[in-house]
Amino acid sequence: MSVTIANLGFPRIGPNRELKFALESFWGGRSSEAELKETAASLRRETWLKQKNLGIDYIPSNDFSFYDHVLDTTVMLGAVPERYGFKGGKVDLATYFAMARGTTSAENSVTAMEMTKWFDTNYHYMVPELVKGQKFSLASTKALDLYNEAKAAGVETRPVVLGPVTWLSLAKGRDVDPFDYLDDVLAIYTEVLTSLAKAGAKWVQIDEPAFVLDLNDKQRAAFKKAYDVLSKTGVSLMLTTYFGRVAENIDLLTSLPVAGIHVDLIRGSDDYDALLTKVRPDTVLSLGVIDGRNIWRADLDALVDWIEPLAEKRDLVLAPSCSLLHVPVDLKAEKKIDPEITQWLAFAQQKLEELAVLKTALTKGRNEVAEELAASTKAAKNRRSSPRIHNEAVAKRLAAVTPDMAKRQSPYPVRAAAQQAKLNLPLYPTTTIGSFPQTSEVRQARAKNRRGELDNAGYTQFLREQTAATICWQEEIGLDVLVHGEFERNDMVQYFGEQLDGFAFTNNGWVQSYGSRCVRPPILFGDVTRPKAMTVDWWSFSQQQSEKPVKGMLTGPVTILNWSFVRNDQPRSVSCRQLALAIRDEVVDLEAAGAKIIQIDEAALREGLPLRRAEWQTYLDWAVESFRLTASGVRDDTQIHSHMCYSEFNDILPSIAAMDADALSIETARSQMELLQAFASYQYPNQIGPGVYDIHSPRIPSVEEMVNLLRLARKYLPADRLWVNPDCGLKTRRWEEVKPSLLAMVAAAKEMRAEE
Ligand code: GLN
Ligand code: ZN
């Protein structure tokens, strides 16, 4: 029986974010379209040749994208919303980028398409928009072009296309059900697949991660129809699912007339037994055995033990669980991670190397790769027992957590009275969400400090001046509750990760977040402890500048967890509780230093929701418990705020309420306070700060429009439970925009007070 190896997709950004810089230079008018295309082509070529040299049997093409693979699919289908003025034919690069980013030129300004998270990853895709009478046409031949390009470079590839059912499932229809267009969409897919077959492609990887979702009847029927049609196009389809269990969808999946099926055996390992009995013997089975979502090195010897018996029975393809888009490119670029930790890690390049070792071990025998297997075993062993990871004291502390520790001393009404007695705030108290503009001056000072051109004392002095000036200005314009501005923070997760034990940081571990934007997620590798207070000095300095209360500002445990690469050797819930205890200590320290209000941001709580509904409650329970554990070490008269930056709460309101934050700020400016209706009908009991100023736009809102929003809010909630604040993200705006906007916001609050 044969064992071959496949890759499902390689990071597009390049080993040193070459694509990011090429894109930004092109957008900034500093380079030509030809130069951008040249950079892209050479990155693709390098990537293909690298995979060929590694001995990958199925090398992907069309995994490259200038911005986003969902947008590429939308363009392939010619489903270009009317506002971009597409006239048929091929979509050009200008139109493509207009869809991705909008355009702002005076005579021609259009908004970008909506962007949202790709399944439960931190990658964002552009949401397809479909309208009544939507037209489709083959408007991009990128899949074919890149297949041919690879071939010309001497590399036979397996093109990747996003499947029609997943694309339709991600699309938003305006007064129309996207699935009404299944036939139109299939007609284009047929053209694309036929053209690939004609060009000589044997296999096409067709990605249908929708298989790991709860499917409705329409989706199920669409799967049947789609693959009946597409299996007749002359290519062999590797129907590819990832990001979770197929579970009850397995009968549907295995009934489709496709030549191969790929499943994610990292997150979907529970599917394994059912798969073996249900996948037809003549279907090629591709097993995602290397974790494409996380940065841990595999235990290869153990994998061989496990795969060997199966490989004797049937042909197998071995692959990463999903595209490697979600991990950094190459561990070799890392200079500052401790060697003990480095040996536990594998980035995209290393994951492909692991596959190559697996193949050799399974086809030629373990002896051929004895050294590689031994190194892998040694690393796995070391990781299981390393004192850098396992800390007795943390385990003990976790075991000693009592339910009372996750409960404030008194119920909200008692706390609210105690807090008001101490804070004496007016009705409609005004505040902001935490950050103030990260000007180029601030970013430059940070970069200089990092490069050693500005010493720590000089940098601290600079930050103090920025902070003091910001506090002074807030006081001047009459804000009631001040913030220090977060100038000292590079990122709301990294800042804390760097001060906690148990985290490692990369210098080049970039992962695409959206378009040209990349993030470098911290690596949570070990038990978490807080060696010392993290924010108390900055808070104390800030509070010394003003009589008004300055909020202590923290990132919550769930958000730190969701925005990091996390341990796979213990449940996420355990890592989260460890983080909760560490941040709890910080909350208590801030209170002891005199902070009357402490905000614990949980920006990413909602996006951590599992893909399957049935798993939501378990997640929400431990996530909420972690937040409460963080927040409940303080006295009744200390006010706990939280902030969440999204606007879909309806289905998780009971959990939001269960967090029991004294005040919660949310994004609402763009949705005309609609969201508050849900809070009101749920009878959400605590205070809310609905954003009244949409910071996503450079526009300066008027007093009047903010008063109108507040009046709307007042319809839903009593005045003594409303705060007045902008949406989050002031750090992305300029002072010229922020200053007049907040002045107007304070004026709006005053008008509202006069109305009570
Ligand atoms: N306190 C952070 C800020 O104001 C919150 C950011 C966020 O919610 N994403 O920037
Ligand atoms: Zn936010």
Side-chain angles (χ1 to χ4, degrees), residues 596-610:
K596 301 186 183 103
I597 305 183
I598 298 161
Q599 178 172 314
I600 306 164
D601 287 336
E602 281 294 17
L605 190 135
R606 189 183 199 288
E607 65 188 49
L609 277 177

Side-chain angles (χ1 to χ4, degrees), residues 433-435 486 492 553 563 599 601 603 643 645 728-731:
I433 309 304
S435 63
E486 303 181 15
M492 64 187 282
M553 278 294 163
W563 285 348
Q599 178 172 314
D601 287 336
H643 161 74
C645 38
C728 79
L730 289 185
K731 79 172 184 191

Side-chain angles (χ1 to χ4, degrees), residues 144 147 191-202 204 233-236:
L144 176 65
Y147 172 76
E191 275 188 72
V192 173
L193 295 181
T194 311
S195 72
L196 286 168
K198 271 202 197 121
K202 302 245 155 14
V204 167
T233 52
V235 285
S236 296

Side-chain angles (χ1 to χ4, degrees), residues 473-522:
W473 179 78
Q474 292 173 78
E475 204 178 61
E476 236 171 74
I477 68 160
L479 280 161
D480 300 301
V481 173
L482 314 189
V483 299
H484 74 287
E486 303 181 15
F487 302 109
E488 79 287 12
R489 303 187 184 177
N490 36 14
D491 171 274
M492 64 187 282
V493 170
Q494 193 178 346
Y495 182 73
F496 290 95
E498 279 173 353
Q499 301 187 72
L500 292 168
D501 277 353
F503 280 91
F505 291 85
T506 64
N507 52 280
N508 199 48
W510 298 99
V511 178
Q512 187 180 15
S513 170
Y514 63 88
S516 69
R517 240 190 94 97
C518 303
V519 292
R520 242 179 340 166

Side-chain angles (χ1 to χ4, degrees), residues 342-386:
T342 305
Q343 69 171 327
W344 304 329
L345 306 177
F347 292 177
Q349 170 77 26
Q350 287 68 38
K351 286 173 188 287
L352 296 182
E353 290 166 9
E354 292 184 321
L355 279 174
V357 174
L358 274 181
K359 178 179 169 180
T360 308
L362 287 160
T363 54
K364 301 191 177 135
R366 297 191 208 219
N367 279 342
E368 290 287 317
V369 277
E371 230 173 85
E372 288 86 343
L373 292 177
S376 167
T377 306
K378 186 168 154 243
K381 253 198 197 139
N382 171 278
R383 190 171 161 223
R384 275 194 293 274
S385 60
S386 169

Side-chain angles (χ1 to χ4, degrees), residues 397-398 401 405-406 500 528 530 534 554-558 560-561 572-588 600 602 622-633:
R397 191 172 176 208
L398 220 61
V401 169
M405 286 171 71
L500 292 168
V528 177
R530 187 194 66 141
M534 303 182 281
L554 303 172
T555 302
V558 188
I560 296 181
L561 184 87
R572 292 164 67 81
S573 56
V574 175
S575 298
C576 198
R577 291 173 99 209
Q578 292 185 357
L579 284 162
L581 288 175
I583 311 285
R584 175 187 172 100
D585 294 345
E586 188 72 14
V587 174
V588 169
I600 306 164
E602 281 294 17
W622 62 252
V624 168
E625 198 234 9
S626 291
F627 177 85
R628 295 175 57 125
L629 195 52
T630 309
S632 300

